[in-house]
Amino acid sequence: MKSMTPYRLGYWLKTVVADIVSVDGLLFVNYRDLSHEALVSEVSTHPSPKDAQMWMNIVLLDDFISEACGDDWNDGDAGEVLDAVAKAWGFQVRAKYPSSTFTIEKISDSRSGDLGLRLIGSLG
C-alpha cells in the first residue's frame, strides 16, 4: 500500500475540522472552504435551503479511510473514524451556536460503498 502524503492527510483533516456555518438559519459543513457568498450561491441552486442542507452536508469518508488504511475494512471497522469526525463537528456546533439543534447521521450505502456523515441542524 502506498502511504498517504502530508498534503493528502491535510486535505482530509480539513473535513474533520470543516467550518460549520449558518445560511438562512440552517447549519452547513463548509468542508470545501467556500466563501460565504459562494456557499449561499450553491444553496440557492437547490429547491429550498432545507433540500440544499440534506445534500450539501453529506461528507463521504470512505475514500479517506481507504487512502489511510487500505481497502481491507468494513463499515463496522470505520465506526471509530466516523465517531471521531462527528465528535469534532459536534464540539464546533455547540461552541459556535450554543442554542442550535442538530443531529449528525451516519450515511452508509453498501451498494455504492459510500460511507460518511451528514449534519442536519438549525439555529435555535
Side-chain angles (χ1 to χ4, degrees), residues 1-123:
M1 171 178 78
K2 184 179 175 188
S3 63
M4 183 182 291
T5 66
Y7 174 83
R8 291 295 296 165
L9 179 59
Y11 168 83
W12 285 111
L13 289 176
K14 287 178 185 174
T15 302
V16 175
V17 296
D19 195 19
I20 309 294
V21 298
S22 172
V23 175
D24 293 332
L26 298 176
L27 301 178
F28 286 85
V29 180
N30 190 11
Y31 63 96
R32 293 181 295 156
D33 201 26
L34 300 175
S35 70
H36 188 75
E37 295 77 22
L39 191 60
V40 168
S41 178
E42 187 167 337
V43 168
S44 73
T45 66
H46 293 265
S48 72
K50 190 73 172 166
D51 185 68
Q53 185 184 57
M54 293 295 294
W55 292 105
M56 290 172 59
N57 278 0
I58 295 173
V59 178
L60 299 176
L61 297 166
D62 48 281
D63 284 344
F64 166 62
I65 296 166
S66 289
E67 198 169 328
C69 303
D71 292 326
D72 189 23
W73 59 273
N74 60 43
D75 289 7
D77 295 335
E80 291 294 319
V81 175
L82 296 182
D83 290 346
V85 174
K87 191 173 188 178
W89 289 359
F91 283 143
Q92 185 182 164
V93 171
R94 284 187 287 280
K96 288 178 76 174
Y97 309 105
S99 62
S100 66
T101 57
F102 69 95
T103 60
I104 300 171
E105 307 169 340
K106 289 183 181 176
I107 304 294
S108 178
D109 183 344
S110 59
R111 191 181 81 246
S112 67
D114 289 343
L115 181 71
L117 297 170
R118 173 176 26 210
L119 171 74
I120 301 298
S122 61
L123 301 180

